[in-house]
Amino acid sequence: MRSEEATYKEMLKKRPLNVQAIYGDEPVGLVSGRDIMAAARRAGVTILAANARNPLTIKGVLKAAAKLDAAVLLELAKSESTYCGCTYDNVPDYAVRYSKELGHGVIFGLHVDHYAIKSTEELMRAISHLRHIVERGWTSIAIDASHNPDWENLCFTRDAAMHIPPYLGLEVEVGEIKGPGELTTVEEALFFVGGLNAWCIFPDLLAISNGSLHGTYDRSRGEIEGIDLKRTLEIAQAVSRYGVSIAQHGVSGTPIDKVSHFSTHGITKANVATLWQNVLFGVKMEPETGNAVIEDGSYVKEPDRGISEELWRKIVAWADEQGYSRKDGDYKKANKPFHDQIMSLPVEIQERIVEETTWWAERFIKALKSEGTAELVLEEVSKRPDHNSAPEREIFHKRSEFTPERAPQKSKTPSGNVAEPD
């Protein structure tokens, strides 16, 4: 068992200080996102990042990671924390609990997905909230100020990042995720990442707008998956000298075959969210994408998958009362009001959800070529003398090179959309 290996025991002593402060006596393999991304870049692979709207997703993904000796990230977006039973307070404890059930030895990080900042007021609130999240044991954070013009995005991201310990993973974002046709440019990416570099902010990951959508693709409305891997590679190559690689958002609904090409296009992190909810609810899915199938203007519940049919009928009735379409992405908001009922389902129903989650997670891990990455993370940790994984990076720019006048986008009206998971 890995938890008895010398390299694993060494890792326990070098976990991030916030993890040691809470779980110091628990031999859980909760590591910094910095270490996971460093290992992924060195191996040229992509890490599965799973958004956990329900604890059963955590259990299933960790089981897959243990089986394939893969490092994974468990995520929760800022918006998800408001409409799901999983929160920034309880996800760390769920993860430690399920890791313990597996005998520990699983290597994973906890990633704050899409922490949206769209105004100075939100930035001010973020300062104390991010501190609380760090204190709960999260080991990687994505600051998303991409709804703002490029200059404001740079400033908001810089200021928020300065309140995150540099030994934790950092993801930043330029270009809102809007689907095919609206792509982040190389110029935007270089202004953004270069500006952060001038201020000594060293992200591991850059999320971009490269043609993906968040959530389910509704074929009846002509929605199609449109990730532009050519543009993605162009940006990845442009920002690589900063120690930055690409975080691919909106992977739910993407063909597994296309996912297998991520690692050769500079992508080291792949976000999957809505697919796990499709598994949880037991809705009919396309076998090669995990995209929810729409028939007669509605999701299709399959009786032998996911939650019980009785509970599904309750969710549908609740959604109808809220005025949600029966193929509406707002079904995600059922996670919170029905959390306790889902977690009280008979063991056999919970286990079929966990097993299908594990099956999908294994498919992604294999397609992303990240089998065996847990060992690579341990090697990465062993290179350091202590817990501090803050990166040693070169500063290429002066701050005077980055001004509002030099920003690629000088005017942009922030959308009213809330940053959503994938």
Side-chain angles (χ1 to χ4, degrees), residues 45-62:
V45 302
T46 310
I47 298 297
L48 171 63
N51 289 64
R53 298 179 184 178
N54 181 275
L56 299 178
T57 298
I58 298 173
K59 187 174 184 179
V61 171
L62 288 181

Side-chain angles (χ1 to χ4, degrees), residues 311-327:
L311 183 52
W312 174 249
R313 286 193 292 270
K314 290 181 180 179
I315 289 176
V316 171
W318 171 85
D320 288 347
E321 289 176 1
Q322 310 305 311
Y324 300 150
S325 162
R326 293 192 176 189
K327 62 173 183 177

Side-chain angles (χ1 to χ4, degrees), residues 277 281 299 312 315-316 319 325-326 328-334:
Q277 180 179 282
F281 290 164
Y299 294 127
W312 174 249
I315 289 176
V316 171
S325 162
R326 293 192 176 189
D328 199 328
D330 279 331
Y331 264 61
K332 65 192 176 188
K333 296 177 183 176

